[in-house]
Amino acid sequence: KAVYDYTLIRAALDNGDQKAYAELMERYRDSVYFMLLKMVNNKDDADDLTIEAFGKAFKRLNQYAPTYAFSTWLFKIATNNCIDFIRRKKMVVYSIDKRFENEEGGEMVVDIK
């Protein structure tokens, strides 16, 4: 698998082979998407982040070193990009079972009906 990935990478870099890029994306798109979906718990965000991850990976494909599997390198890019997204978004998660303080220091309860 890793050898075939490297063959596709070389074809993409050396020949500008768009089919090689497409095949790399096809091989890993679902795996990357589902990993990101677990991280952000939002299908639209996971879709966007998946596209961004491939965009960043393909833009830096010349930096890939075959010491590691392409999938490992790609997942690291996707994970780091997602962590940056979460930090930018400053996702705040509240438990529906616990009380929390509002900005004035008062206690609040979420009542879901």
Side-chain angles (χ1 to χ4, degrees), residues 1-11 19-20 23-24 27-28 70:
K1 188 174 180 176
V3 172
Y4 185 67
D5 286 347
Y6 191 64
T7 303
L8 291 172
I9 291 165
R10 291 297 353 143
K19 288 181 182 179
E23 190 170 344
L24 284 167
R27 289 169 64 90
Y28 294 105
F70 173 73

Side-chain angles (χ1 to χ4, degrees), residues 50-76:
T50 299
I51 292 166
E52 283 180 29
F54 278 98
K56 287 183 177 188
F58 290 163
K59 186 175 181 180
R60 299 182 182 114
L61 198 54
N62 62 332
Q63 296 175 6
Y64 168 72
T67 308
Y68 301 101
F70 173 73
S71 58
T72 303
W73 184 74
L74 175 63
F75 276 78
K76 189 66 174 173

Side-chain angles (χ1 to χ4, degrees), residues 2-42:
V3 172
Y4 185 67
D5 286 347
Y6 191 64
T7 303
L8 291 172
I9 291 165
R10 291 297 353 143
L13 288 174
D14 298 341
N15 307 323
D17 186 348
Q18 295 301 311
K19 288 181 182 179
Y21 284 109
E23 190 170 344
L24 284 167
M25 188 166 181
E26 183 63 31
R27 289 169 64 90
Y28 294 105
R29 181 179 45 228
D30 289 346
S31 300
V32 170
Y33 170 79
F34 287 113
M35 178 196 68
L36 294 170
L37 183 59
K38 286 181 183 179
M39 292 178 74
V40 296
N41 200 29
N42 180 293

Side-chain angles (χ1 to χ4, degrees), residues 80-97:
N80 288 344
N81 189 51
C82 187
I83 290 168
D84 290 343
F85 169 80
I86 292 168
R87 285 181 183 147
R88 283 191 309 269
K89 195 170 182 178
K90 294 184 182 176
M91 293 178 77
V92 178
V93 178
Y94 297 103
S95 170
I96 60 173
D97 300 325

